[in-house]
């Protein structure tokens, strides 16, 4: 059985940067915590917890210590609260997410009604929305734009892991809802590259394995894209979840991984697949 790993799989720049900052803080600072999971990888969060970095949902009971801002960013009011309390802030927000936040702040200051293309409950989107000082709407797709009122000035940004087509569909729909439209393409190139490679690989194999956290939006999107092309697509978090029965008549298996998946997890998946292949000989 041939095992093919996508060229771009696993950590993107922003996630790699955030995890490195978190592990550095774990090694050098006492009483450190993250405001929400640093990234959407339960295994990485668990390793940090073993090093003494706990996860806090809010700052309500925190009066001292080091707060590490997750890669998805935090709400503007949470950052202000952390600074007001005099906490040691380690800002691990992905630079691409930070840019989206800045664009929303700018658009609001210029009188635009802001539209954020993304998942309304995703922490990244909640953070981006918080930088708006005026009207702001979150839409999942172009169809959702139809329920919005007409607007004189529309400013559009996107959750960094959105498919480009989704952003384009929203822009197209907004042409019917407003006069002046300003668009910032805030989709991370790493997301587009991973999705394109996953789709290409899914069309060349008999089975696809998508590795990453079940709470990871970009990993779930990879699963959706691969499933549409190769129905035998399986989303797993760790190698222990692999079922040998998946590969009974498989000659070629493809492997990809979300941007929050560390290399060591990908390596264990590849090792497990090799073990299964050897057992069939």
């Amino acid at each position: 059985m041939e095992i093919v790993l996508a060229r771009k799989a696993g950590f993107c720049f922003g996630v790699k940067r955030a995890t490195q900052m978190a592990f550095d803080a774990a090694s050098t600072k006492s009483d450190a915590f993250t405001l929400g999971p640093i990234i959407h990888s339960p295994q990485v969060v668990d390793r940090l917890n073993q090093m003494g970095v706990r996860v806090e949902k809010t700052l309500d009971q925190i009066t001292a210590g080091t707060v590490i801002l997750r890669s998805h960013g935090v709400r503007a009011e949470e950052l202000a609260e952390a600074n007001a309390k005099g906490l040691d802030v380690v800002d691990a927000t992905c630079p691409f997410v930070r840019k989206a936040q800045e664009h929303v702040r700018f658009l609001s200051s210029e009188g635009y009604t802001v539209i954020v293309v993304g998942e309304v409950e995703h922490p990244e989107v909640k953070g981006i929305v918080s930088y708006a000082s005026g009207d702001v709407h979150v839409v999942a797709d172009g169809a959702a734009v139809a329920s919005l009122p007409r607007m004189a000035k529309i400013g559009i940004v996107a959750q960094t892991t959105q498919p480009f087509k989704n952003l384009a569909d929203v822009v197209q729909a907004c042409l019917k809802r407003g006069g002046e439209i300003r668009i910032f393409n805030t989709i991370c190139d790493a997301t587009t590259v991973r999705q394109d490679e996953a789709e290409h690989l899914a069309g060349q194999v008999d089975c696809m394995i998508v590795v990453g956290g079940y709470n990871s939006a970009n990993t779930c999107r990879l699963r959706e894209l691969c499933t549409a092309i190769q129905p035998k697509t399986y989303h797993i978090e760790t190698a222990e979840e692999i079922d040998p029965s998946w590969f009974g008549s498989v000659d070629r298996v493809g492997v990809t991984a979300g941007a929050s998946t560390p290399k060591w997890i990908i390596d264990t998946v590849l090792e497990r697949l090799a073990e299964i292949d050897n057992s069939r000989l």
Side-chain angles (χ1 to χ4, degrees):
M1 181 173 70
E2 183 181 2
I3 303 166
V4 185
L5 176 65
R7 288 177 300 171
K8 294 292 185 180
F11 278 2
C12 63
F13 163 75
V15 168
K16 184 176 181 179
R17 171 181 175 273
T19 52
Q20 186 61 57
M21 292 175 72
F23 280 110
D24 287 347
S27 301
T28 60
K29 298 178 181 293
S30 59
D31 195 23
F33 64 95
T34 61
L35 193 55
I38 185 69
I39 63 173
H40 282 160
S41 169
Q43 293 73 34
V44 169
V45 171
D46 183 59
R47 283 199 173 186
L48 285 169
N49 183 61
Q50 293 175 23
M51 296 177 68
V53 178
R54 66 191 188 278
V55 177
E56 297 287 349
K57 292 183 178 180
T58 70
L59 294 171
D60 292 348
Q61 306 301 319
I62 306 298
T63 58
T66 298
V67 55
I68 307 167
L69 307 187
R70 59 191 169 195
S71 61
H72 300 104
V74 299
R75 298 194 305 274
E77 54 268 28
E78 290 175 319
L79 178 57
E81 182 181 356
N83 288 325
K85 288 186 172 183
L87 300 178
D88 178 17
V89 177
V90 175
D91 190 353
T93 304
C94 170
F96 293 101
V97 174
R98 175 66 68 195
K99 183 61 68 174
Q101 295 171 346
E102 292 171 356
H103 286 322
V104 168
R105 191 200 301 273
F106 166 76
L107 289 167
S108 273
S109 70
E110 293 295 310
Y112 289 86
T113 296
V114 176
I115 293 180
V116 180
V117 185
E119 303 166 55
V120 66
E121 292 299 324
H122 194 282
E124 178 189 325
V125 174
K126 289 182 177 180
I128 292 172
V129 165
S130 72
Y131 284 81
S133 55
D135 291 339
V136 57
H137 304 278
V138 178
V139 297
D141 49 37
V145 176
S147 64
L148 299 180
R150 288 196 58 81
M151 297 157 278
K153 298 171 65 176
I154 301 175
I156 305 172
V157 302
Q159 181 180 351
T160 58
T161 55
Q162 284 287 299
F164 179 78
K165 182 179 184 302
N166 213 26
L167 172 61
D169 287 347
V170 170
V171 171
Q172 184 67 31
C174 282
L175 292 174
K176 301 177 182 179
R177 309 307 297 173
E180 178 184 342
I181 298 178
R182 186 157 188 177
I183 307 150
F184 287 103
N185 180 5
T186 51
I187 296 172
C188 175
D189 287 345
T191 297
T192 302
V193 168
R194 278 162 177 73
Q195 291 177 353
D196 289 347
E197 285 193 356
E199 287 184 303
H200 178 71
L201 183 56
Q204 298 183 321
V205 297
D206 306 308
C207 174
M208 276 295 295
I209 303 295
V210 180
V211 190
Y214 295 123
N215 60 341
S216 166
N218 73 86
T219 304
C220 290
R221 182 58 181 164
L222 288 176
R223 180 200 66 219
E224 293 169 0
L225 292 171
C226 290
T227 301
I229 297 170
Q230 173 49 261
K232 290 186 67 174
T233 293
Y234 303 95
H235 179 181
I236 62 172
E237 279 194 356
T238 64
E240 289 74 18
E241 299 171 44
I242 297 176
D243 186 340
S245 68
W246 296 344
F247 312 100
S249 58
V250 170
D251 294 320
R252 201 162 191 251
V253 57
V255 179
T256 189
S260 297
T261 309
K263 183 178 182 297
W264 60 268
I265 288 184
I266 299 173
D267 288 343
T268 58
V269 167
L270 296 176
E271 291 167 4
R272 177 58 181 147
L273 290 173
E275 290 174 359
I276 292 172
D277 185 40
N278 289 333
S279 69
R280 300 195 313 175
L281 298 178

